[in-house]
Amino acid sequence: EIVLTQSPATLSLSPGERATLSCRASQSVSSYLAWYQQKPGQAPRLLIYDASNRATGIPARFSGSGSGTDFTLTISSLEPEDFAVYFCQQRSNWPLTFGQGTRLETK
Amino acid sequence: QVQLVQSGAEVKKPGASVKVSCKASGYIFTNYALHWARQAPGQRLEWMGWLYTGNGNTKYSQKFQGRVTITRDTSASTAYMELSSLRSEDTAVYYCARDRDHYMDVWGKGTTVTVSS
C-alpha cells in the first residue's frame, strides 16, 4: 500500500504568517491527492482535491500543489480558525491511505 | 443541509461485534457511495471499506477483510458498518464519509468504540 508521510509533525506559526505543509508518497500517486482539516472534536473537512482544486466553500488562502510523490498545502496568511490538524489522502491505489497529520499550532 | 449522523458511542468486550450506523440527509442517498474509516488513539486515519449505495456493492481493505461488513437500508438512507471479533486494538473513532471520486467530502462526527474486558 502507498504510505504518505507528512512533515513537519508540528508547525508553530502566528496569525498572518504563511504556512507550508508537506506530504510525500512512497510511490507516485499522479495528482490524486487530497488535503483535509480537522479540529478537535470535529469531523474532518475536505480542503483540496486532485492536488490543487479547492473544495466548495474553501477560502482562496488555501492552495495545493505538486504531483507524483511530493505535495504541498499552503495557507497564504493564517487566520485564527486555521490552527488545526491537516492530513493528506491518496486515491491513486487501493487501499485509500492517509498521512499521519501535521498539527498547526499558534506560536 | 447535507449531513451524516452516526450512532452513539459503544463499549464492547473482546470477541464481540459492533454495528455502527450512519444516517444521511440533505441529498439523495443512492447517488453517492460511502466510506468507512477509523482513527485509533495517536494513529493515522485508516480506510476500512466503501459501499456503493446504489446497488450495495462493497470493497474492503484487505486488513479488515473477513471481519467487516458494510450494508445499507436505502429506505432509511442509512449505512451500517459491522466489525466482528473485536480486540483491544479496535478501540478507535469510526467515521462514515460521503464519497467524491474516492475522496471524502462530507463526514460524520464519528463514533467512539471502546473494546475492553
Side-chain angles (χ1 to χ4, degrees), chain A residues 34-47:
Chain A
W35 290 92
Y36 300 85
Q37 177 194 67
Q38 188 174 25
K39 298 180 180 178
Q42 295 187 19
R45 178 170 72 144
L46 177 65
L47 300 174

Side-chain angles (χ1 to χ4, degrees), chain A residues 4 36 49-50 91 98, chain B residues 44 95 100-104:
Chain A
L4 299 178
Y36 300 85
Y49 65 94
D50 288 344
R91 74 165 182 102
F98 295 88
Chain B
R44 68 182 65 198
Y95 293 98
R100 180 194 171 148
D101 293 332
H102 300 163
Y103 301 120
M104 299 162 208

Side-chain angles (χ1 to χ4, degrees), chain B residues 9-42:
Chain B
E10 302 263 12
V11 179
K12 295 292 183 181
K13 293 199 182 303
S17 297
V18 67
K19 191 170 186 176
V20 180
S21 68
C22 171
K23 182 172 176 59
S25 62
Y27 71 97
I28 298 173
F29 179 70
T30 50
N31 281 2
Y32 295 82
L34 279 173
H35 297 272
W36 287 89
R38 75 178 188 181
Q39 188 167 34

Side-chain angles (χ1 to χ4, degrees), chain A residues 3-4 31-34 36 38 42-46 49-50 56 87 89 91 94-96 98-100, chain B residues 35 37 39 43-47 50 59 61-62 95 99-110:
Chain A
V3 177
L4 299 178
S31 294
Y32 299 132
L33 189 107
Y36 300 85
Q38 188 174 25
Q42 295 187 19
R45 178 170 72 144
L46 177 65
Y49 65 94
D50 288 344
T56 304
F87 56 91
Q89 177 237 321
R91 74 165 182 102
W94 299 102
L96 307 180
F98 295 88
Q100 83 279 20
Chain B
H35 297 272
Q39 188 167 34
Q43 303 298 312
R44 68 182 65 198
L45 272 160
E46 201 172 20
W47 179 78
W50 175 88
K59 185 175 187 67
S61 168
Q62 203 162 2
Y95 293 98
D99 177 80
R100 180 194 171 148
D101 293 332
H102 300 163
Y103 301 120
M104 299 162 208
D105 70 342
V106 179
W107 293 65
K109 289 184 185 287

Side-chain angles (χ1 to χ4, degrees), chain B residues 52-66:
Chain B
Y52 185 68
T53 52
N55 60 14
N57 283 355
T58 53
K59 185 175 187 67
Y60 300 129
S61 168
Q62 203 162 2
K63 175 174 178 175
F64 300 99
Q65 194 87 37

